[in-house]
Amino acid sequence: MQQKKVLALKYRPIVLQDLIGQEIISETIFNSIKFNKIPNAFLFHGIRGTGKTSIARIIAKALNCENGIENLCKNKFCKNCEAISSSNHLDVIEQDCATATGIDSVRDLIEFCRYPPSTSNFKVLILDEIQAMSKAGSQSLLKILEEPPSYVKFIFCTTEIKKILVTLLSRCTRFDLKRVKSSELFEFLKKVVSLEKKAISDEAIKLICKCSEGSVRDSLSLLDRALLSAKD
């Protein structure tokens, strides 16, 4: 029996236009790639479930998609988008700094940056929970951030901006992802319920929006539970 995806994975953003409540940031990133004014390092800050890691993966795809940012793969993926979505692209590294905090991990990243990409336009390093990286690790990263190779792009994600070295912050283009408004979450969840061909009251959806506190992922997880407990 084929296992069904949970809603938070099934409705994860694939292109920038899929992001909920972050339209200005999406447009800014789209234009920076379209007009080739791409920062050396992006930094995304916001509460859980607002789209930080999703944006990072979309940027990695947009930089390397065979069809370009204006025709970014959404349904049928090119080989680069497919590999990045499957987390097995040779030129894209995604690392959780909460589990790989030390200087040895940073040395591996620096070594990764030494050589040009093998099959794509850019090498991309996505570092999640960057605030958990050790001070020694962060300082080691600073040197390559000062003068990174033109083919390397860094994407940092964090929920705690105040814990990041100021010197590291100064080398990044920072984007603060806002909590998604309840009205936007409500419309999104109504659409999901319709696509899932399920029935749930507007009052229940409003309660889910309130409990999720502006987190899209939390709202989808709560909706999943609600739909599972509802009678068909």
Side-chain angles (χ1 to χ4, degrees), residues 106-195:
V106 176
R107 286 192 184 118
D108 291 340
L109 296 177
I110 293 171
E111 182 66 21
F112 172 78
C113 296
R114 284 183 61 188
Y115 306 101
S118 56
T119 61
S120 54
N121 300 321
F122 293 95
K123 281 193 166 184
V124 182
L125 292 87
I126 300 171
L127 303 184
D128 203 3
E129 302 297 345
I130 186 65
Q131 79 281 352
M133 181 175 282
S134 66
K135 186 175 181 180
S138 296
Q139 288 173 336
S140 296
L141 200 60
L142 284 175
K143 188 173 182 180
I144 194 166
L145 277 175
E146 285 175 358
E147 295 182 29
S150 59
Y151 55 79
V152 174
K153 300 299 177 185
F154 291 88
I155 308 175
F156 303 129
C157 302
T158 184
T159 53
E160 300 178 79
I161 198 83
K162 292 180 180 179
K163 291 186 178 181
I164 300 174
L165 288 179
V166 174
T167 45
L168 193 149
L169 280 176
S170 69
R171 289 162 174 78
C172 301
T173 299
R174 173 177 165 178
F175 296 92
D176 294 304
L177 277 67
K178 61 185 180 180
R179 293 174 185 266
V180 181
K181 294 177 182 178
S182 290
S183 57
E184 290 177 296
L185 273 180
F186 179 81
E187 293 303 322
F188 173 62
L189 295 184
K190 286 275 285 184
K191 182 180 177 181
V192 170
V193 171
S194 176
L195 289 170

Side-chain angles (χ1 to χ4, degrees), residues 57 81-89 92 94:
R57 290 173 180 168
C81 287
E82 179 64 40
I84 293 168
S85 298
S86 305
S87 301
N88 61 5
H89 198 291
V92 178
E94 186 172 338

Side-chain angles (χ1 to χ4, degrees), residues 6 11 26 30 39 42 45 55 60 63 66 71 76 83 86-87 94 118 144 152 170 172 190-191 197 213 225:
V6 296
Y11 292 97
S26 297
F30 181 92
F42 296 85
H45 165 243
I55 291 178
L63 291 172
E66 294 177 355
N71 298 294
K76 188 178 181 181
S86 305
S87 301
E94 186 172 338
S118 56
I144 194 166
V152 174
S170 69
C172 301
K190 286 275 285 184
K191 182 180 177 181
K197 296 180 171 58
E213 299 179 328
R225 288 167 58 185

